[in-house]
């Protein structure tokens, strides 16, 4: 009885497609996981610096106060400029503005 591996003395050139098929399967699984299961989480490719202000940061609290109407726009921008000097992007980079 002839098997697929011994067909005409060898597996033939179609055996080269198996690594490509497995690579496509692995790539598909990783892509599927990145788009669904890992979407809301911080995956290994994101650092905490990539994330926006956390829910407890002073800048986030100021944004919530402005959105709820507790402070007006002028007050928001004035306080944001002070907070941005201490907690914002300019302080994190180490450079002076």
């Amino acid at each position: 009885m002839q098997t697929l591996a011994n067909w005409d003395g060898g597996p033939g050139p179609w055996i080269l497609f198996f690594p490509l098929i497995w690579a496509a399967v692995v790539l598909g699984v990783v892509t599927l996981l990145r788009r669904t299961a890992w979407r809301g989480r911080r995956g290994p490719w994101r650092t905490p610096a990539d994330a926006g202000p956390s829910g407890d940061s002073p800048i986030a609290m100021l944004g919530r106060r402005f959105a709820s109407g507790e402070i007006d726009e002028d007050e928001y921008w004035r306080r944001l400029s002070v907070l941005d000097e201490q907690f914002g992007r300019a302080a994190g980079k180490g450079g002076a503005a």
Side-chain angles (χ1 to χ4, degrees):
M1 178 169 124
Q2 288 186 343
T3 62
L4 215 46
N6 283 331
W7 188 67
D8 277 340
W14 58 268
I15 196 76
L16 299 175
F17 288 112
F18 279 122
L20 295 176
I21 291 170
W22 279 111
V25 167
V26 169
L27 186 67
V29 167
V30 168
T31 302
L32 183 69
L33 286 175
R34 285 186 75 176
R35 291 182 182 257
T36 58
W38 294 339
R39 174 159 280 198
R41 303 180 194 162
R42 289 186 191 149
W45 58 90
R46 288 185 63 186
T47 61
D50 292 339
S54 67
D56 296 336
S57 74
I59 294 175
M61 290 174 56
L62 181 65
R64 282 196 297 273
R65 288 186 64 196
F66 176 65
S68 68
E70 292 180 32
I71 57 175
D72 63 350
E73 186 177 1
D74 293 331
E75 181 75 12
Y76 171 77
W77 287 112
R78 186 172 58 79
R79 290 185 182 202
L80 182 64
S81 66
V82 172
L83 288 174
D84 204 24
E85 290 175 5
Q86 296 175 2
F87 300 103
R89 290 171 288 278
K93 301 276 189 212

